Amino acid sequence: MGLILLTQGIISLLVILSLAPMFAGLVNKQKAIFTGRIGAPVVQPYYELKRLLRKETINATSASFISSISPVINVVTVAIAAAMLPIGFARPLISFEGDIILFAYVLGLARFFQILAAMDIGSSFEGMGAAREATFAVFAEPIFFFTLGSVAFISGLTSMYDIYHSVRLDNVSYIVFIIVCSISVFILAVTECSRMPVDDPNTHLELTMIHEVMILDNSGIDLFLYQYSSYIKLFIYAILETSFFYPFGVQNYTLAIVIFAVVTLILSASLATVETITSRFKMKNIPEYLLFATAIGVLNLLIYTFTK
Amino acid sequence: MNDTIVLLYYAFLIQSIPIIAIAVVQDNRKASAVTHLVLLAGLILGFSSTVSSLVSSNSTLLSFTLWGIPNQVFRFDSLGLYFLGIIQLVAIPTTIYSYSYLNHYISNGKSIRSTLVFYVLLLVSTQVLVLANDAILFLICWEVMSMSAYLGMIFEKEKREVRSGSFYYFIMNHIVAFLLFIFFLLLHHQTNSWHFSDFHLTSDSGAIFIILYFLSLVAFGTKAGFIPFHFWLPRAHPIAPTVFSAFLSGIIIKTGIYGLLRTFQFLHPTPEWLGWLVLVISMISAILGVWYALAQHDIKKLLAYHSVENIGIIGIGIGIGFIGSAYHSIPIQVLGFGGALLHTLNHAIFKSLLFIGSGVIYQNLGTRNIEQMGGLVHRGKYFVMLFLIGSVAISGIPPLNGFISEFIIYNGFFTTAKILNNYYPILMLISVVGLAFVGGLAVACFTKINSIMFLGTERKEVKQFQVSFYEYLSLGILSSLCVIIGFYPQPFIGIVTKVLNHGFVPENASSALLNINWMFISLIFIAVVLGILVVYIWKRFMQEKYGRRTSPAWGCGYERLNSRMQYTASSFADELNEISKTVLVYHKNIKKPKQIFPTQGSFESHAQDLIDSKILLPGFRKLSSLISRIEFLSYTDIRYYIAFILVIITIYSVIAFLWV
């Protein structure tokens, strides 16, 4: 039994790690179709990663050991976070009472070193991105706890796997609650993964970008690690969203996989739609946008508790 | 048990020997070496016997014989021993650092004899304080501790800021001592005893219970530095010699926490609203403390505000414990108080690490302003690594010790919600979000100071950056403690559980702390480290294969980037400061360069603390104008004052006689 659980956990981790670039490619492809282009193939991110892997690494002269370890820390912590996510009905590799807190904090480790690595170059380009990342993270963290945390508090469980399995769609107010929660998670995903309308993943040339500008002075395998971990991160947040649909796929292999695939596809389509039809916000409006997500999370929770 | 206790006495005796040595040895350098060596020996002996009695003891030892004499003045219970252990653990590296720190001053021809005496007094009195069973002894130690810290603080008394900063500390101590006198007199009045072991009141005792709690909260809370009583921390810490500021922030403010926990032992069960009061005050302290810290550019002032934040986190644990006590729920109490106790240890470790680090920087650069630093990583790589460990730990990020204690407190929230149900889930959810918010701000703050101080290029030329062996040793001890508690928390959890079992909850009733899957968490942390190692080696291998070189940073074609064009600390924190303009009293003065050929432009930003500048300072000013009305009584001749004292004493004695 233990061995089966372990295998399931490892398989789902491998699935996340291997399919993550595909998800980003999927979003890009749909975006291209929306704007009337043919677009790069869905597997394009894999080619890009492969290309980066074979490039020479160039470090800035002012860079220190921080720049060198930060991409490594990034990819490892993101992989550890991925190992806590349940796919389908499989119990994740890392699952214990309180892993929801570890999940949030382990991503904090990645962020800490990414900000440091950006500041390591000593250029104000990266500095600007780093300052913004630090600022928006302060507002993004509460959203995570107001959404997943509130589901945890309602169910009284503190393990991600159990929390998602406690979602039961048999009560109208609970369904509404979960839907609003998923909207908040979507906003969180947009922020954390530097997508529109918070950040533009396609450019770093404007002085307005966050994630892309932080990794501006990286190349070769460092850039590979950063890119790969940002793909994984995007997929992680996508799974946070798709996992709300658990109750439909409990204890049935094929159904679970089909639901997972379909919901992921829908999610990528909605990401692509949002990115096509909206323009990026002014930087100073982003905290308001995040507070808006927090506010609907709070309201939602209050409404749910009083209608229960 | 009795033997190890006697060993503790010897340890205290050994630690007091240096006072004689300082008087006898003529040469400054030798006196300092002897003092530190003997102190260290005493501390190590003390620490080992503390640990062995903490591990072996199964019950509280109240009376024992010392050299044949029965003794009731001291109390060797787990709580006291736990705090004693923290003090000694932190005092060892601080003393090692102190040797190298004072050597700098000796080389400059400054007399350090009095400072050494105050340091010894401070160490011994703080250790005796947490063992005192007698209220009078407690108060004596309290005063000796506070005053020797004050006297050590005014080391550079020729500087104006030192005199004004230490004066706030001095005043604070008098207020706290005054309140503590009333507190213990009232307790004595109620229980007819001076012994801590006899103090016990329940909430049935009416108004006196509430009054006692308020006295204790204000007195010990001021010492600990809860908002709004935090005013002395950002003033006293920057001006104190680093050894004293490290001890002040690592240990002395923890005696406030010790006092609060003792008060709980005297007065329980607590009413629920009291728990909420402590929780709300602590939450405000944590959030505002870290937010104010973010706006500071003086490294020591910034760390002082971080102490406010961490005291807030400890207070959150205590508040949860109080709520648990109101409902007689053991798991809630265990997680709340347990988190608070472990965070007390953790904060003592990483805060002294950071203060000692800031002292090393100050000694080399001669400034505490982080805007003038930068690029230090190219001068002292290992020093930066050690400082970074402290920074990651204090931000509560895994895999270091700060995460472990915050994790317990988070578990406390979840358990409270689960057990008490009703409207508690929402309240606890808000607390969780508050703590997460604090964590986010702490990350912003510590990435700010680390990147501005150490990374990039030098903003001001650094003439030399040397870290001595002793400095490395003390930083190394403290940072390895951060790592050990992070990766292998079980023994520390075991000790905390023991402390809780002896004096907080019924004997052997607590399992909530041990129920957390610590083994699994350790495994994950080890996996993180192994993963980083493996990927790093693979990365180096790939770099070997495809090449690696360095080149100047990309400046969009602009080639004359200089160190003044780097991002600064004020610009890093600007966006967050703008958001909190009102709470922070943040304003900027911008003079934009004008005309076609601009000549000059300037920018400055100021951040103040709202509570301090808008509430406390005007209050103090009003008070001083009120008091100045009796200025006509002030004379230049000291004999008048002696006469006043005599008159007051006579009046008191007459009243006392009439009363009886």
Side-chain angles (χ1 to χ4, degrees):
Chain A
M1 190 62 196
L3 204 65
I4 294 171
L5 280 179
L6 193 70
T7 331
Q8 277 183 344
I10 290 171
I11 289 172
S12 50
L13 176 62
L14 288 179
V15 165
I16 296 178
L17 293 185
S18 57
L19 288 187
M22 176 99 92
F23 183 75
L26 212 58
V27 175
N28 285 342
K29 181 78 180 174
Q30 292 178 16
K31 240 167 96 177
I33 293 171
F34 268 124
T35 46
R37 292 178 284 126
I38 298 169
V42 179
V43 288
Q44 183 65 24
Y46 292 100
Y47 292 129
E48 279 170 22
L49 287 178
K50 193 179 160 197
R51 175 178 55 97
L52 283 176
L53 204 56
R54 292 176 179 192
K55 292 274 182 189
E56 180 190 29
T57 314
I58 304 174
N59 286 115
T61 33
S62 48
S64 69
F65 72 96
I66 299 277
S67 292
S68 155
I69 57 166
S70 161
V72 178
I73 292 180
N74 242 285
V75 85
V76 171
T77 46
V78 170
I80 293 283
M84 292 183 210
L85 283 175
I87 287 196
F89 48 83
R91 189 173 264 281
L93 201 58
I94 298 173
S95 172
F96 63 99
E97 290 288 307
D99 63 4
I100 179 171
I101 301 155
L102 187 67
F103 178 81
Y105 271 74
V106 112
L107 289 176
L109 179 66
R111 180 178 295 130
F112 193 96
F113 276 92
Q114 180 143 37
I115 294 173
L116 280 188
M119 295 294 285
D120 193 21
I121 314 293
S123 150
S124 7
F125 260 123
E126 278 97 337
M128 208 169 272
R132 283 172 184 154
E133 171 85 13
T135 308
F136 302 145
V138 169
F139 296 96
E141 214 129 296
I143 303 179
F144 177 78
F145 282 106
F146 262 126
T147 48
L148 272 187
S150 59
V151 186
F153 272 109
I154 286 169
S155 60
L157 299 163
T158 53
S159 166
M160 303 265 267
Y161 175 77
D162 299 332
I163 291 169
Y164 275 117
H165 275 259
S166 74
V167 176
R168 292 267 174 281
L169 301 182
D170 47 10
N171 173 331
V172 179
S173 64
Y174 196 58
I175 293 174
V176 175
F177 170 74
I178 289 294
I179 289 172
V180 180
C181 265
S182 64
I183 294 172
S184 290
V185 171
F186 187 78
I187 293 177
L188 178 70
V190 162
T191 317
E192 290 278 354
C193 304
S194 321
R195 313 295 295 193
M196 296 276 231
V198 172
D199 189 6
D200 191 341
N202 289 330
T203 172
H204 55 248
L205 276 179
E206 304 266 329
L207 281 176
T208 47
M209 304 309 154
I210 308 168
H211 182 257
E212 288 302 311
V213 80
M214 283 172 76
I215 55 174
L216 185 60
D217 265 291
N218 288 97
S219 55
I221 189 159
D222 284 345
L223 191 59
F224 164 84
L225 291 173
Y226 276 133
Q227 292 289 22
Y228 186 43
S229 52
S230 78
Y231 291 144
I232 301 175
K233 207 169 167 186
L234 180 63
F235 200 47
I236 284 178
Y237 280 95
I239 292 170
L240 280 184
E241 190 87 0
T242 51
S243 299
F244 281 117
F245 292 87
Y246 259 169
F248 299 119
V250 177
Q251 299 307 336
N252 186 335
Y253 274 93
T254 19
L255 191 60
I257 290 166
V258 168
I259 286 174
F260 180 76
V262 168
V263 175
T264 311
L265 210 65
I266 295 171
L267 191 71
S268 68
S270 50
L271 254 177
T273 319
V274 169
E275 289 194 13
T276 321
I277 61 171
T278 59
S279 59
R280 205 185 48 72
F281 282 153
K282 271 186 181 171
M283 277 298 161
K284 65 175 190 189
N285 293 344
I286 292 173
E288 288 166 27
Y289 177 65
L290 294 177
L291 286 177
F292 161 74
T294 318
I296 58 171
V298 178
L299 268 179
N300 180 32
L301 181 68
L302 285 177
I303 292 168
Y304 173 70
T305 17
F306 290 118
T307 53
K308 191 168 66 172
Chain B
M1 176 81 184
N2 212 341
D3 298 341
T4 44
I5 298 301
V6 174
L7 269 184
L8 264 179
Y9 273 91
Y10 284 118
F12 293 155
L13 273 184
I14 293 172
Q15 287 172 41
S16 317
I17 292 173
I19 296 186
I20 305 162
I22 295 162
V24 176
V25 183
Q26 285 300 314
D27 183 45
N28 265 338
R29 215 169 270 274
K30 274 183 195 154
S32 157
V34 170
T35 309
H36 286 105
L37 213 64
V38 177
L39 259 184
L40 214 56
L43 281 171
I44 291 170
L45 176 67
F47 181 64
S48 46
S49 46
T50 307
V51 170
S52 69
S53 50
L54 197 57
V55 171
S56 68
S57 83
N58 289 316
S59 61
T60 308
L61 195 67
L62 283 180
S63 59
F64 67 99
T65 51
L66 179 67
W67 301 308
I69 311 159
N71 190 324
Q72 268 214 344
V73 186
F74 293 99
R75 174 187 202 183
F76 295 91
D77 68 335
S78 305
L79 182 65
L81 286 173
Y82 181 73
F83 273 86
L84 183 65
I86 294 179
I87 294 167
Q88 288 161 337
L89 187 63
V90 172
I92 291 170
T94 313
T95 308
I96 295 174
Y97 170 68
S98 161
Y99 174 67
S100 131
Y101 180 79
L102 291 178
N103 260 353
H104 285 279
Y105 286 97
I106 296 172
S107 321
N108 293 340
K110 208 167 155 113
S111 168
I112 44 93
R113 279 160 188 279
S114 50
T115 313
L116 276 179
V117 175
F118 302 139
Y119 184 62
V120 173
L121 275 179
L122 180 64
L123 276 187
V124 176
S125 58
T126 319
Q127 290 177 63
V128 177
L129 174 86
V130 293
L131 291 181
N133 187 35
D134 188 287
I136 308 288
L137 180 71
F138 182 87
L139 286 172
I140 292 171
C141 288
W142 185 270
E143 281 296 280
V144 174
M145 173 186 83
S146 307
M147 284 305 111
S148 49
Y150 169 72
L151 292 169
M153 199 183 282
I154 54 171
F155 183 50
E156 292 176 292
K157 49 188 171 297
E158 60 279 359
K159 288 184 188 160
R160 196 188 156 79
E161 55 159 2
V162 172
R163 289 199 300 273
S164 77
S166 57
F167 189 67
Y168 278 93
Y169 174 78
F170 187 73
I171 296 296
M172 179 281 292
N173 270 324
H174 274 293
I175 298 170
V176 169
F178 176 69
L179 292 174
L180 283 184
F181 277 121
I182 304 176
F183 176 71
F184 283 114
L185 280 174
L186 281 177
L187 267 176
H188 173 67
H189 184 72
Q190 291 293 313
T191 56
N192 223 357
S193 160
W194 287 112
H195 287 162
F196 280 14
S197 37
D198 299 331
F199 291 157
H200 189 247
L201 285 177
T202 53
S203 42
D204 315 326
S205 41
I208 191 77
F209 186 84
I210 308 297
I211 293 170
L212 280 171
Y213 250 112
F214 266 97
L215 282 172
S216 154
L217 279 181
V218 175
F220 290 124
T222 309
K223 192 77 178 178
F226 284 103
I227 282 176
F229 307 118
H230 66 295
F231 62 92
W232 67 276
L233 278 147
R235 291 198 168 84
H237 281 78
I239 54 102
T242 308
V243 178
F244 283 87
S245 42
F247 204 78
L248 208 60
S249 196
I251 298 299
I252 295 185
I253 60 171
K254 304 300 182 322
T255 57
I257 299 296
Y258 170 75
L260 280 178
L261 292 173
R262 273 281 186 247
T263 312
F264 174 76
Q265 290 189 335
F266 303 155
L267 312 166
H268 66 262
T270 46
E272 196 198 342
W273 60 267
L274 200 67
W276 281 110
L277 182 73
V278 173
L279 189 64
V280 168
I281 289 176
S282 308
M283 197 54 96
I284 292 172
S285 301
I287 292 176
L288 290 187
V290 65
W291 215 318
Y292 291 149
L294 190 65
Q296 301 302 324
H297 302 316
D298 178 328
I299 168 79
K300 276 184 158 182
K301 209 170 182 176
L302 184 145
L303 291 177
Y305 271 117
H306 263 288
S307 296
V308 177
E309 176 221 336
N310 279 283
I311 286 293
I313 294 175
I314 296 171
I316 290 171
I318 296 178
I320 294 285
F322 281 6
I323 293 171
S325 155
Y327 285 96
H328 301 284
S329 159
I330 289 167
I332 298 178
Q333 286 185 63
V334 165
L335 289 171
F337 288 127
L341 282 171
L342 194 65
H343 201 72
T344 309
L345 170 68
N346 288 342
H347 180 243
I349 293 168
F350 47 62
K351 192 41 82 61
S352 13
L353 168 64
L354 294 173
F355 261 114
I356 291 174
S358 77
V360 172
I361 295 167
Y362 177 65
Q363 217 128 50
N364 279 300
L365 305 186
T367 177
R368 295 195 307 261
N369 186 355
I370 60 170
E371 296 279 36
Q372 296 184 353
M373 302 172 191
L376 291 182
V377 67
H378 304 292
R379 301 266 181 170
K381 189 175 166 186
Y382 299 104
F383 171 77
V384 172
M385 281 178 185
L386 295 175
F387 197 90
L388 205 58
I389 288 180
S391 309
V392 173
I394 199 174
S395 310
I397 292 176
L400 299 179
N401 60 352
F403 174 74
I404 302 291
S405 40
E406 285 193 27
F407 186 71
I408 297 175
I409 292 173
Y410 274 114
N411 267 300
F413 290 140
F414 281 106
T415 312
T416 311
K418 199 171 175 181
I419 292 178
L420 302 180
N421 230 321
N422 208 0
Y423 56 91
Y424 278 90
I426 289 200
L427 296 173
M428 286 300 129
L429 177 63
I430 292 167
S431 314
V432 163
V433 171
L435 199 51
F437 190 62
V438 171
L441 282 169
V443 167
C445 190
F446 274 93
T447 47
K448 178 189 106 174
I449 60 166
N450 277 293
S451 50
I452 301 296
M453 290 199 308
F454 301 139
L455 306 178
T457 49
E458 288 164 19
R459 287 183 179 75
K460 210 178 137 194
E461 202 197 342
V462 179
K463 290 192 187 72
Q464 50 125 13
F465 191 80
Q466 282 173 334
V467 187
S468 72
F469 167 73
Y470 298 104
E471 285 162 347
Y472 269 130
L473 183 63
S474 72
L475 290 170
I477 293 174
L478 288 167
S479 50
S480 45
L481 281 170
C482 288
V483 174
I484 293 169
I485 301 180
F487 279 87
Y488 188 54
Q490 284 93 325
F492 301 90
I493 301 290
I495 288 174
V496 168
T497 311
K498 196 161 215 169
V499 175
L500 292 169
N501 277 336
H502 297 165
F504 285 90
V505 293
E507 194 92 11
N508 298 327
S510 65
S511 56
L513 262 182
L514 303 171
N515 279 350
I516 298 173
N517 204 339
W518 295 113
M519 202 60 209
F520 206 72
I521 294 175
S522 300
L523 270 178
I524 295 168
F525 288 175
I526 291 167
V528 170
V529 173
L530 282 182
I532 289 173
L533 263 178
V534 168
V535 177
Y536 188 76
I537 290 167
W538 175 68
K539 180 190 135 173
R540 292 313 290 262
F541 170 75
M542 292 300 272
Q543 281 179 341
E544 284 294 308
K545 201 168 160 193
Y546 295 106
R548 181 187 172 202
R549 65 187 163 97
T550 57
S551 132
W554 171 238
C556 284
Y558 186 74
E559 286 186 346
R560 289 172 191 271
L561 285 176
N562 66 33
S563 61
R564 289 194 40 147
M565 293 175 190
Q566 294 178 88
Y567 228 55
T568 59
S570 16
S571 37
F572 191 91
D574 183 63
E575 268 170 284
L576 276 168
N577 290 346
E578 278 287 339
I579 292 165
S580 56
K581 238 176 185 168
T582 38
V583 199
L584 206 58
V585 196
Y586 180 70
H587 46 88
K588 291 190 277 195
N589 266 336
I590 307 172
K591 268 192 203 146
K592 282 185 183 164
K594 282 174 189 159
Q595 292 145 6
I596 306 169
F597 298 105
T599 44
Q600 243 184 348
S602 71
F603 169 86
E604 46 184 318
S605 64
H606 298 278
Q608 277 171 317
D609 161 343
L610 175 77
I611 293 160
D612 196 280
S613 63
K614 289 279 146 70
I615 299 169
L616 288 173
L617 282 187
F620 288 153
R621 240 172 264 137
K622 211 157 250 171
L623 196 69
S624 90
S625 75
L626 211 69
I627 292 171
S628 68
R629 293 209 184 140
I630 54 164
E631 226 170 36
F632 65 90
L633 285 174
S634 82
Y635 299 95
T636 45
D637 197 331
I638 196 166
R639 280 170 291 184
Y640 284 101
Y641 292 103
I642 296 173
F644 285 147
I645 294 171
L646 277 178
V647 170
I648 294 285
I649 290 177
T650 326
I651 293 172
Y652 272 154
S653 352
V654 169
I655 293 173
F657 267 114
L658 291 178
W659 197 280
V660 178

